[in-house]
Amino acid sequence: KCHSIGVRLRTCCGKPPFPDGGHGSPTVVGDRIYLATADEEREVQSVLCYDRGTGREIWKTDVHVGHLTKKGNKKSTQASASVACDGERLFINFLNNDAVFTTALDLDGQQLWQTRITDYVVHQGYGSSPAIYGPLVLVTADNKGGHDRPATPNYPSPIIHDVAGRTQLLLTGCDLVSSFDPLSGNLLWEIEGATTECVTSTVVCGDLMFTSGGYPKNHIAAVRADGSGDIAWEIGTRNYVPSLLVYDGYLYASTDAGVAMCWRCNDGAEMWKGRLGGTFTSSPVLVGDKILATNEAGESFWFAATPEEFKLIGKNRLGDQAFATPTICGNRIYHRAAEVEEGVRKEYLYCIGKRAPR
């Protein structure tokens, strides 16, 4: 059984919850937690650092002040990316002043550099997180302005996998399935496929990579990542926003519409499906041999990662709204959620686990 430990993480002990908001997941490194956030009223986009053990705020760095691009889907936020860390530096993407910027901070919150990636024409919003590979920080920013990629809106983060005998940066969306060399950026292979707007982070199984979307085409497809262009299987299931999950040769989903599903990776055979309930934005997370999935109303569901049958283990609720994917580290869950108190939305970061003995 999990118990809440300490207090809900706040800007300072005894002060109100932070007014800022966002959908980025907490990033846990050592004894610290890093979080991107935005105060839309003050038009400030920031990175927060908390003590992992106590929830005490260590520092807060304002990355952008003013010029928020307030357009797009009502569910989008001004801080939907997660912080990346290489152990020495922090990296974060923000959409500001109609452009995407990547900013590097040191571990004490001091800005090291900031790069303007590209102009960005907003359709739904922006939420791609930076990825670190070797000496590089990798950023995606597909949008209707085009540039080096098709001029269509698209939202996945860059994902690097060792698959089909080589290291590949895999991207879906813009009506393409694409593979790049993550160090040089050279195109390894590309086929028509997926759909126009994708959101999910790509997962792999054996020599297969999985695409899912969205808009305009609802689909889940298994594509051979060897450059052959072979689509092993495809189904019409809508899995637009939450990412898929692979475990022990099987593919799992908590779909946007609140249905847990399981397929066999190699041929797409449906093993089972079961109703969870609610609408899902955050992605399912594997914890041992169990899967944790949280809906937009803050309800979390635990079900078994097994192809044998849908087995709901338990459910609970924390907060009134949850869009960020929980982070699991050690024996604790770090969960970003919001409560609506007297009509006012207040965001919290919870740490859930067994209390340490005193």
Side-chain angles (χ1 to χ4, degrees):
K1 184 179 180 181
C2 289
H3 302 275
S4 176
I5 59 174
V7 296
R8 294 170 289 190
L9 301 191
R10 306 184 179 194
T11 54
C12 184
C13 184
K15 287 189 177 181
F18 58 88
D20 313 27
H23 294 340
S25 295
T27 300
V28 181
V29 182
D31 59 0
R32 293 185 174 187
I33 305 169
Y34 303 101
L35 196 69
T37 189
D39 184 334
E40 296 198 22
E41 184 175 338
R42 294 175 51 239
E43 295 204 359
V44 178
Q45 294 163 307
S46 310
V47 173
L48 290 159
C49 175
Y50 293 106
D51 182 279
R52 180 180 171 189
T54 65
R56 177 181 62 87
E57 182 185 309
I58 298 174
W59 53 258
K60 179 180 181 181
T61 295
D62 295 339
V63 176
H64 297 283
V65 178
H67 307 295
L68 294 193
T69 305
K70 296 181 179 180
K71 304 173 185 176
N73 192 293
K74 64 181 181 180
K75 291 184 181 180
S76 68
T77 73
Q78 302 291 334
S80 292
S82 300
V83 175
C85 180
D86 66 358
E88 298 179 356
R89 293 165 290 260
L90 307 171
F91 306 95
I92 186 61
N93 297 338
F94 284 115
L95 170 63
N96 186 273
N97 199 21
D98 296 319
V100 171
F101 293 83
T102 299
T103 303
L105 308 175
D106 67 19
L107 299 185
D108 294 320
Q110 298 300 308
Q111 182 172 312
L112 301 174
W113 52 260
Q114 184 174 92
T115 297
R116 187 179 187 276
I117 303 298
T118 182
D119 293 342
Y120 192 88
V121 179
V122 173
H123 180 60
Q124 303 279 13
Y126 180 75
S128 176
S129 300
I132 298 167
Y133 184 76
L136 302 180
V137 181
L138 306 177
V139 178
T140 54
D142 288 332
N143 68 93
K144 292 191 289 185
H147 304 295
D148 296 329
R149 297 261 294 166
T152 61
N154 192 40
Y155 312 103
S157 300
I159 302 296
I160 301 98
H161 285 291
D162 289 323
V163 58
R166 55 183 169 180
T167 303
Q168 304 184 50
L169 189 164
L170 300 170
L171 284 180
T172 64
C174 300
D175 300 299
L176 298 169
V177 182
S178 309
S179 169
F180 301 88
D181 181 298
L183 284 178
S184 69
N186 291 334
L187 182 68
L188 298 177
W189 57 266
E190 188 171 74
I191 64 170
E192 294 182 2
T195 189
T196 305
E197 295 182 39
C198 292
V199 177
T200 61
S201 297
T202 301
V203 296
V204 300
C205 181
D207 68 346
L208 297 174
M209 61 168 288
F210 298 96
T211 78
S212 64
Y215 181 83
K217 178 183 176 183
N218 295 331
H219 82 287
I220 297 173
V223 178
R224 298 209 181 276
D226 58 5
S228 65
D230 179 41
I231 298 176
W233 55 264
E234 184 169 348
I235 56 177
T237 300
R238 179 178 174 82
N239 194 82
Y240 187 13
V241 179
S243 296
L244 298 164
L245 186 155
V246 167
Y247 177 62
D248 200 21
Y250 292 89
L251 184 68
Y252 296 88
S254 52
T255 68
D256 305 63
V259 179
M261 301 189 72
C262 174
W263 302 270
R264 192 161 51 214
C265 284
N266 62 1
D267 61 6
E270 183 180 305
M271 309 309 293
W272 52 254
K273 62 182 175 182
R275 169 64 63 181
L276 298 176
T279 301
F280 283 73
T281 289
S282 74
S283 300
V285 179
L286 183 69
V287 186
D289 59 356
K290 301 174 181 64
I291 294 172
L292 169 63
T294 303
N295 68 20
E296 292 181 2
E299 294 177 296
S300 290
F301 303 84
W302 292 89
F303 57 95
T306 174
E308 295 177 2
E309 62 177 343
F310 172 61
K311 183 179 180 182
L312 184 64
I313 298 168
K315 61 181 181 179
N316 51 56
R317 183 168 182 164
L318 190 61
D320 300 309
Q321 299 175 355
F323 292 83
T325 300
T327 298
I328 312 296
C329 188
N331 62 353
R332 295 180 176 181
I333 303 169
Y334 299 90
H335 181 62
R336 184 178 197 163
E339 296 182 6
V340 179
E341 302 171 2
E342 298 181 351
V344 179
R345 184 183 187 275
K346 298 179 181 179
E347 196 163 290
Y348 297 92
L349 180 62
Y350 294 87
C351 177
I352 306 162
K354 292 184 178 179
R355 289 184 181 273
R358 296 183 177 179

